[in-house]
Amino acid sequence: VTDILIVGAGGAGLSAALAAQETGASVKVITKSYPTRAQTCMAQGGINAALGIQDSPKYHMDDTLKAACGIADPVAVQSLCEEGIEAVRWLDRVGVPFSRQEDGNIAQRGLGGAQVKRACYAKDYTGLKILHTLYDCCNAEEIEILNERFLLELIVCDGRAVGAVVLNIKTGETETYYAKSVILATGGFGGLYGKYATNATNTTADGIAAAWRAGARLSNMEFIQFHPTSLAKSSVLISESARGEGGYLVNAFKERFTDELAPRDKVSRAIYEELQKSGAVYLDIRHLGEAFIEEALPQERKLAKLYEGVDPASELVPIKPAAHYTMGGIEVDDKTQSSIEGLFAVGECADHRVHGANRLGGNSLLELVVFGKRAGKNAAAYAANNMLTCSKKECQEDILSRFTGHDKVGFYEQKEHLSEIFYKKVGIKREAKGLQDALEFVKALQAKLPKMGIKDTNKVYNTELVEFLEFGNLLAVAEPVVRAALAREESRGAHFREDMPLSKEEYQARSIFVAGETLFVKDGVKQ
Ligand SMILES: Cc1cc2nc3c(=O)[nH]c(=O)nc-3n(C[C@H](O)[C@H](O)[C@H](O)COP(=O)(O)OP(=O)(O)OC[C@H]3O[C@@H](n4cnc5c(N)ncnc54)[C@H](O)[C@@H]3O)c2cc1C
């Protein structure tokens, strides 16, 4: 039996693996893809840390709490901001090639909602460089990583998580892994918005849905961050670093209309409104000059050329807001343990109570490392103190036959429909009627799910099967998202209700989805 089973090999999973291994515990990591393909590698703009002399953890904390609109936990935010400094120093020591100032110190750029330049970066490949460095470290430590293993269900015994049942995508067989503690690091659920999201297409809530099915509480699921600048045609992200370095937003009349570096919820709403008024919004970085763009924003330039057919050095870049980050997730305590004993969660799949209603750019990469290390250490301590008493049994299931058959109807069209509904009715602006329509749509789709299935009957590398499982997971979390959005009868941060545009004191609380019901909890007390 492994001490710690980690599901997910993005920045959060790999940080947790390194910290757990350092305690002497045995660690096994599984991932449905390959570590180098985790969404973390798409992060461009930077990772926050108050390194500069004009900055301090207190300023970082103030900015984070302000963006969070009153529902982040100051204690959790304080630890993120204070421990963030050592987290970035550690990344530097283990080899992340951060861009440098002339004096050799790590260079930092401004991102929205930050009062000083705080985001450390590696050109605009920050997540890629961090992920590859962490993966190198895991390989050097000989941490066992099993690729192409899809988490199906958690094994919970007497209220305690003791392992997982997994589909081996290569063979089509199910495998059972027991462990003394389990860490979920499976990423968020931006995939709900399909082509209207900047996310990797396989960001599909798998860990959140598995935890929820096992009885875990979910937190703040209604808060979905829309990034202001994705390419108009493809939703591919153009990082905030483009505005951080001095880029402008202009409307169809080439006029600036908003503070480009306000928090993301405000900028996204301003763009959304401007798109409705003038019909087009562009990012303008031409004045930064070709040499600077090539040096500081090379990836942004390549992406704009490739996916929009424009060169930002000489042309305006058409943009629109797109779903980008899911602030909510599995509820965890200060040790990153979920409401299920022995089950830890970290990274975008968890709600560490630091983002509240709106995440500050650069704070997600930071949370992966700070809380990833914390999850690894705490899961190891838990494993050291708790023997595995559960009797083990192999769970062999022919899941292929469950989803194939001549009577099964396809799901791809429904998946697309779900994302359309979410973008329109559970998007940047929401109101009761649209949310109610979305809920009815989700309930109807859930009822149809048993009749849906796949055509491909091959066991080996059945990607249709994997995509169907992902669709089921998205559909599972769709309900808590809409229910929480309906229950929160106010506007706050990324959750903007056109029918209730003001924030209300009674909702200055986290929403908790448990046993099909949404509760509001403040300082641990039900409201
Ligand atoms: C385009 C883009 C740019 C961004 N830029 C920034 C930035 O500049 N700064 C910043 O702070 N944040 C940024 N973010 C946000 C940040 O990148 C993510 O929040 C963060 O990387 C999530 O990391 P994670 O480790 O939690 O999950 P991920 O990196 O998504 O990794 C999830 C892991 O879980 C595995 N997994 C998922 N489901 C299963 C399953 N069923 N079975 C087995 N394994 C599974 C996946 O294979 C993967 O290994 C950006 C996000 C995007 C999309």
Side-chain angles (χ1 to χ4, degrees), residues 231-236 301-310:
L231 292 174
K233 287 183 195 154
S234 60
S235 299
V236 165
R301 188 179 186 192
K302 278 194 199 112
L303 292 172
K305 281 184 180 174
L306 191 62
Y307 293 102
E308 199 69 31
V310 296

Side-chain angles (χ1 to χ4, degrees), residues 335 350 472 477:
K335 293 186 168 164
V477 300

Side-chain angles (χ1 to χ4, degrees), residues 123-170:
K123 294 202 171 184
D124 53 2
Y125 295 99
T126 315
L128 182 90
K129 300 293 177 186
I130 290 176
L131 189 67
H132 284 203
T133 306
L134 293 174
Y135 185 41
D136 280 348
C137 294
C138 288
N139 285 336
E141 293 297 326
E142 298 183 356
I143 290 174
E144 187 184 6
I145 301 180
L146 302 174
N147 301 317
E148 299 186 310
R149 304 302 207 284
F150 189 101
L151 168 72
L152 293 169
E153 298 300 345
L154 293 163
I155 305 171
V156 177
C157 186
D158 296 332
R160 175 183 162 194
V162 291
V165 181
V166 165
L167 168 72
N168 182 331
I169 298 170
K170 281 181 246 193

Side-chain angles (χ1 to χ4, degrees), residues 5-7 30 150-156 161-167 174-179 181-184 210 343 393-395:
L5 176 69
I6 300 178
V7 188
I30 63 164
F150 189 101
L151 168 72
L152 293 169
E153 298 300 345
L154 293 163
I155 305 171
V156 177
V162 291
V165 181
V166 165
L167 168 72
T174 50
E175 296 171 351
T176 314
Y177 296 99
Y178 280 88
S181 60
V182 179
I183 302 178
L184 291 174
L343 180 66
K393 58 177 189 308
E394 285 298 306
C395 176

Side-chain angles (χ1 to χ4, degrees), residues 7-13 30-35 38-47 126 149-151 185-188 198-200 202-203 206-207 237 239 324-325 346-349 359 361-366 368 473:
V7 188
I30 63 164
T31 161
K32 68 176 171 180
S33 174
Y34 284 79
Q39 178 170 266
T40 299
C41 76
M42 294 167 77
Q44 303 164 1
I47 174 168
T126 315
R149 304 302 207 284
F150 189 101
L151 168 72
T186 44
T198 64
N199 286 200
N202 66 358
T203 305
D206 302 339
L237 182 82
S239 160
H324 180 62
Y325 183 86
V346 68
E348 198 173 333
C349 72
R359 172 180 74 94
N363 269 358
S364 169
L365 289 177
L366 185 61
L368 306 183
N473 287 332

